[in-house]
Amino acid sequence: TQAGESFAVFLDMRRCPCGWDFRGVPCAHAVAAISLAGFNGIDFVSEYVTVSRLRKYIRQRKSRKVDVTVPEDSNLPKVGPPNTSRRPGRPNKKRTRTEDIGIPSK
């Protein structure tokens, strides 16, 4: 936005002409309009993005038990972690020499 440009924010519809539909979190213009109107900003934030909702979601996820048993007679191959061993010595430098890209050296 340009300096001095103004936006007519519609707090009742939770819309801003900048294109932001603040049903979750208000845009900067909406925050300014909310504070100028004297409202509490928390009332315009969706309950789905609050800390209490996050804590409730985490409690629900922890309480779920997932059964991941594989039948004994399955023909699935055994899968282990990938081989991530490092090679001995100092790692190679990843640089492009100037002669390789066509720039003559000094």
Side-chain angles (χ1 to χ4, degrees):
T1 62
Q2 303 269 336
E5 192 174 357
S6 63
F7 285 92
V9 178
F10 304 102
L11 295 177
D12 54 344
M13 293 186 295
R14 296 178 184 253
R15 292 192 161 253
C16 181
C18 74
W20 191 272
D21 183 15
F22 56 95
R23 297 197 197 294
V25 179
C27 66
H29 311 112
V31 170
I34 291 166
S35 65
L36 283 174
F39 292 118
N40 186 358
I42 300 297
D43 297 336
F44 290 88
V45 176
S46 172
E47 70 171 279
Y48 292 102
V49 293
T50 58
V51 174
S52 61
R53 184 68 177 211
L54 177 64
R55 287 182 179 146
K56 181 180 175 184
Y57 173 75
I58 291 172
R59 279 195 306 271
Q60 288 175 349
R61 295 286 295 178
K62 284 183 179 179
S63 66
R64 286 190 204 162
K65 301 294 181 195
V66 179
D67 185 25
V68 193
T69 56
V70 178
E72 300 259 341
D73 59 340
S74 71
N75 294 334
L76 298 175
K78 300 288 184 196
V79 179
N83 184 7
T84 57
S85 61
R86 287 182 173 223
R87 295 183 178 181
R90 188 177 185 133
N92 293 334
K93 291 186 178 185
K94 296 182 182 189
R95 66 178 183 180
T96 306
R97 296 188 177 271
T98 55
E99 296 87 21
D100 295 342
I101 58 173
I103 299 174
S105 61
K106 293 182 181 179

